[in-house]
Amino acid sequence: MENFTPVASLIGGVLIGLAAVGMLLFDGRIGGVSGIFGGFLNAKHGDTAWRAAFIGGLMAGGLVMLMLKPDTMTFGIDRSVLSVVVAGILVGIGARLGSGCTSGHGVCGIGRLAPRSLVASAVFMSTGAAAAIVVGEVFGGKI
Amino acid sequence: MALFLTFFWGLLFSIGLSVSGMTQPTKVVGFLNFLGDWDPSLMFVMGGAVTTYFIISRIALKRSKPIASGSFQLPTRRDIDGRLVIGAAIFGAGWGLGGFCPGPALASLVTLDSNMIIFVMSMSVGMYIYGTLEARRAHDPDGGAGACETLASASTQDVGASAVAGVFADNVTPLSAAHRSDRRLPNDRRLPNVAWDANLKPAA
């Protein structure tokens, strides 16, 4: 557990929670990244500005952290291009089909005790663990 | 002003992701693979985020409307269906494989690291393909009953976890069943579903 960062992770988690609940309190929306971004890609008339603003904010935050603490913005795992492509496609399709990702279901959904989100989060945690274990223990962390 | 605020929430969200370590796939994979050198950090991220959201959302939803917009746009579904479970399973597999979920991936795009760019492009393709198929199924009567759902979902799924059900309706504004169905405006898929089925069945 040499990489364990309980304090930073807790503080970061609170910031994530504040941002997500800020979307609710001010905009009345669920702060789910896959929904906001997916809806942006399959845009409908008059429904893109706020999505673009949120995504722009995400990227601006990334830029801020890249300048302040670049070591928090590193990929750091051994994956082939094919693996990254497959992972991206699975995440994209799965998040839309399942109506949410770690932010929409994991934070906002569980935070509202929504039954669909509790189920979805349990499922993606399980298959996520299965995938990570197979990659880590069977393929030695390199795939 | 409202857009500026939305930008700010995105910014704060992404700073939180980065501070918490979620923009490092190493930490995500290190959590998910509990048989390896386990890194429990993600538990603290979720704990902090969910607790914060839980407490403040209770207060927020006591309001009749959000501070900067006309109404709350929240998912109202409560049923657990195959799409939810299969979608979450697929999502999880990709998450465990690549160590990235959509938020951290978008936040990391600015590093211009080739892995991040390839991931976001692939994720976008996945989302776009799904959205296009959904839109097509919605307009294709041969798509059967499943397609009907998408009529409404195409416009509403975008709230993120549109799947999330109505704790809101139950805890904050208790409504009769009849009244509640009146409130299922664009957010509910079941309403158009019924109408659509009713139109189709006689033809079949």
Side-chain angles (χ1 to χ4, degrees), chain B residues 5-114:
Chain B
L5 266 173
T6 307
F7 174 87
F8 174 76
W9 300 128
L11 182 96
L12 188 65
F13 199 105
S14 134
I15 290 176
L17 286 171
S18 174
V19 169
S20 65
M22 296 300 96
T23 45
Q24 301 166 66
T26 329
K27 292 194 78 69
V28 174
V29 171
F31 171 79
L32 291 173
N33 179 5
F34 51 85
L35 298 183
D37 182 19
W38 194 47
D39 178 356
S41 305
L42 195 143
M43 232 156 50
F44 286 71
V45 183
M46 288 295 286
V50 168
T51 309
T52 305
Y53 196 92
F54 177 80
I55 296 169
I56 302 180
S57 67
R58 302 252 138 178
I59 301 165
L61 291 173
K62 287 204 167 72
R63 298 175 56 89
S64 59
K65 66 187 188 67
I67 294 172
S69 91
S71 62
F72 286 106
Q73 301 184 34
L74 300 176
T76 52
R77 288 184 66 175
R78 296 187 73 87
D79 59 309
I80 313 293
D81 63 342
R83 295 160 65 93
L84 176 80
V85 175
I86 294 168
I90 294 174
F91 169 77
W95 187 41
L97 174 63
F100 262 136
C101 49
L106 288 170
S108 299
L109 205 52
V110 293
T111 62
L112 301 181
D113 180 301
S114 64

Side-chain angles (χ1 to χ4, degrees), chain B residues 78-201:
Chain B
R78 296 187 73 87
D79 59 309
I80 313 293
D81 63 342
R83 295 160 65 93
L84 176 80
V85 175
I86 294 168
I90 294 174
F91 169 77
W95 187 41
L97 174 63
F100 262 136
C101 49
L106 288 170
S108 299
L109 205 52
V110 293
T111 62
L112 301 181
D113 180 301
S114 64
N115 286 307
M116 322 276 198
I117 295 173
I118 293 168
F119 184 91
V120 171
M121 283 172 65
S122 311
M123 178 179 88
S124 306
V125 168
M127 286 180 169
Y128 187 78
I129 291 174
Y130 174 76
T132 309
L133 289 178
E134 277 294 282
R136 186 178 299 170
R137 284 177 62 195
H139 292 103
D140 173 16
D142 294 334
C148 308
E149 289 185 358
T150 59
L151 261 186
S153 76
S155 67
T156 59
Q157 195 143 20
D158 22 31
V159 214
S162 83
V164 193
V167 171
F168 165 61
D170 287 347
N171 290 358
V172 183
T173 46
L175 299 162
S176 71
H179 187 185
R180 203 182 291 169
S181 70
D182 287 339
R183 285 172 52 104
R184 284 184 191 145
L185 289 175
N187 256 2
D188 195 301
R189 308 172 186 190
R190 278 163 295 191
L191 220 54
N193 201 353
V194 172
W196 192 234
D197 275 344
N199 287 338
L200 280 180
K201 290 254 159 76

Side-chain angles (χ1 to χ4, degrees), chain A residues 3 27 72 79 99 112 114 116, chain B residues 23 27 79 97 160 164 167:
Chain A
N3 298 320
D27 291 357
T72 64
R79 297 288 182 275
S99 311
R112 294 169 57 222
R116 278 173 60 91
Chain B
T23 45
K27 292 194 78 69
D79 59 309
L97 174 63
V164 193
V167 171

